[in-house]
Amino acid sequence: MAGRPSNRDERYAQVMQALVRCVARFGLEGASLTQIAAEAGLTRPLIRHHLGNREDMIAALQDHVLHSFAEQTEALIAALPGDAPAAALVEYLFADTTGSSPDMVLAFAALTARAAEDADLRTACRESLLGFEAAIARVLRQDNPQADDHAVNAAAHGIVALYLNVASLAPLDMPQGWTQTAQTIAHKLLEGLDGGS
Amino acid sequence: MAGRPSNRDERYAQVMQALVRCVARFGLEGASLTQIAAEAGLTRPLIRHHLGNREDMIAALQDHVLHSFAEQTEALIAALPGDAPAAALVEYLFADTTGSSPDMVLAFAALTARAAEDADLRTACRESLLGFEAAIARVLRQDNPQADDHAVNAAAHGIVALYLNVASLAPLDMPQGWTQTAQTIAHKLLEGLDGGS
DNA sequence: ATATTGATTGTCAATAGCGACAGTTTATTG
DNA sequence: CAATAAACTGTCGCTATTGACAATCAATAT
């Protein structure tokens, strides 16, 4: 009444990681199942066994990217120090974490492009992005309670734009100091909240 | 000794426009020749007659996007008024020109994703982007001769990031006032150059 | 030990997309 | 009215990719 123990969750994560990476590099349609399987170190029929159809796979990718976005945002905010959380947030967003790759953001960009065709995906991506922006705005307000709401939202908008830009342009291998410049501007946006009306 | 008059240039532009649009919507590999032909209102063998192979087509796309980027930048800068050119530049970049679509930027983003695989494409895209940034920086300096070089470059960087972000997120149909916010931040970056060290 | 569950592999038919060729039409020149 | 050059169309074979099924291996509980 029991069978072989299921490694479904681990395999799922493994395949999903490969899927994200391949989509980030070759686009939604450019990523073939064989490529994904090779990236995951598995065979093609096996990834089908775990993630199902191709249609199923991109649906799963949507869920994973959007949920992961929200989760990581939440975790990041929870990990911020009580002292000057906004500055720490910016430090983290633009940190040169060689461990964390920009593949997630690139996959999100690929989904965004397809969102022009799919209304549901469009609203999902939009809400996810607005949620990210709102979360950052909350941190900024926590740090600057006296600042104008509009100014806080604008600063959050700018920080998100700078972050997405840095991540989605990562394949271009921009010159030394480029990310640094983005971070500097982000900090400047924070400083603007001090005296801002 | 003469034959049917050649409409090569017009057809080339027609097909290229369809190509840009399809790549913007479906990605580099997602855009099939049949789709492109349908978008251009032509038949599949015909677009092959004009643009050649698929490989040739993406090569032509690269040239077109990158050259068009540089040309449009040059034309834009040449058209700026002598009075407060920087402000006019920002106005133009974030104008709600329903005529000009963000397809160009989206196609550029698609090329950027592939740049991870192709070293030549990578440097080409990078140089193109840095050229755009430098051109904007020139305008800013023209308007603020006393400003610090580093500050000018940083402001240009920020404006580029905001612009690319607005364009590449266009498929998401962001809510009313979103682009406006980006424009406001861009103007704020300009103001920061006045009193900046 | 055996049954049971699930991971893993092998393989084949169907389809979509691409490349290329040959042939047809159209407009311009002499 | 030829002759020519180029746009345009129809169609075929090839390859890559996918979807699906069947079969085998592995591990655990009874």
Side-chain angles (χ1 to χ4, degrees):
Chain A
M1 291 70 178
R4 179 173 178 170
S6 178
N7 56 359
R8 214 174 107 184
D9 295 347
E10 316 156 27
R11 281 288 188 241
Y12 189 91
Q14 182 180 4
V15 175
M16 186 57 77
Q17 183 179 348
L19 178 59
V20 168
R21 180 162 184 78
C22 284
V23 167
R25 289 174 27 173
F26 308 109
L28 269 181
E29 333 264 329
S32 75
L33 296 187
T34 307
Q35 277 175 326
I36 300 170
E39 177 72 30
L42 302 174
T43 64
R44 187 178 71 82
L46 187 53
I47 67 173
R48 171 180 166 74
H49 172 68
H50 284 285
L51 277 192
N53 216 336
R54 179 181 187 83
E55 192 179 0
D56 301 337
M57 288 183 71
I58 67 169
L61 179 73
Q62 292 181 17
D63 286 0
H64 178 254
V65 169
L66 297 184
H67 284 151
S68 188
F69 210 142
E71 276 178 28
Q72 287 191 11
T73 301
E74 201 173 347
L76 165 58
I77 289 184
L80 288 180
D83 180 52
L89 173 68
V90 169
E91 290 289 329
Y92 182 87
L93 283 180
F94 297 93
D96 225 13
T97 61
T98 38
S100 122
S101 61
D103 289 342
M104 216 66 184
V105 175
L106 289 171
F108 182 84
L111 289 174
T112 293
R114 156 160 297 197
E117 320 296 313
D118 185 343
D120 293 338
L121 176 59
R122 179 164 55 237
T123 58
C125 286
R126 186 175 50 216
E127 294 309 314
S128 178
L129 206 58
L130 290 175
F132 184 50
E133 205 171 296
I136 291 188
R138 260 189 307 259
V139 173
L140 298 194
R141 177 170 311 150
Q142 173 186 348
D143 220 353
N144 303 70
Q146 83 293 352
D148 181 26
D149 270 15
H150 202 283
V152 167
N153 290 336
H157 181 126
I159 291 174
V160 169
L162 287 164
Y163 169 69
L164 291 182
N165 201 245
V166 165
S168 57
L169 261 46
L172 293 189
D173 243 341
M174 296 306 272
Q176 199 69 20
W178 201 79
T179 301
Q180 186 67 32
T181 301
Q183 184 174 0
T184 303
I185 306 176
H187 272 127
K188 208 165 202 166
L189 289 177
L190 288 185
E191 296 169 10
L193 290 180
D194 284 340
S197 91
Chain B
M1 290 75 176
R4 179 172 177 168
S6 176
N7 55 359
R8 211 175 110 185
D9 295 347
E10 316 156 25
R11 281 287 190 245
Y12 188 91
Q14 182 181 1
V15 175
M16 186 56 78
Q17 183 178 349
L19 178 58
V20 169
R21 180 162 184 78
C22 284
V23 167
R25 291 175 23 175
F26 308 109
L28 269 183
E29 333 265 330
S32 76
L33 297 188
T34 308
Q35 277 175 326
I36 300 169
E39 177 71 30
L42 302 174
T43 64
R44 187 177 71 83
L46 187 53
I47 68 173
R48 170 181 167 74
H49 173 67
H50 285 285
L51 278 193
N53 217 335
R54 180 183 186 81
E55 193 179 357
D56 302 337
M57 289 183 71
I58 67 169
L61 178 73
Q62 292 181 18
D63 286 1
H64 179 254
V65 168
L66 297 183
H67 283 151
S68 189
F69 210 142
E71 277 178 26
Q72 287 191 13
T73 302
E74 202 173 345
L76 166 59
I77 289 184
L80 289 180
D83 179 53
L89 174 67
V90 169
E91 290 289 329
Y92 182 87
L93 283 179
F94 297 92
D96 226 11
T97 62
T98 37
S100 123
S101 60
D103 288 343
M104 216 68 183
V105 175
L106 289 171
F108 183 83
L111 288 174
T112 293
R114 155 161 297 198
E117 320 297 313
D118 185 343
D120 294 338
L121 177 59
R122 180 165 53 237
T123 59
C125 286
R126 186 175 49 217
E127 293 309 314
S128 179
L129 206 59
L130 291 174
F132 184 50
E133 203 171 299
I136 291 186
R138 262 190 306 259
V139 173
L140 298 194
R141 176 170 314 149
Q142 173 187 346
D143 220 354
N144 303 70
Q146 83 292 350
D148 181 25
D149 270 15
H150 203 285
V152 167
N153 290 336
H157 182 126
I159 291 174
V160 168
L162 287 164
Y163 169 69
L164 291 181
N165 199 244
V166 164
S168 57
L169 262 47
L172 293 188
D173 243 341
M174 297 305 275
Q176 200 70 18
W178 201 79
T179 301
Q180 186 67 32
T181 302
Q183 185 172 0
T184 302
I185 306 175
H187 272 126
K188 208 165 204 166
L189 290 178
L190 289 185
E191 297 168 10
L193 291 180
D194 283 339
S197 91

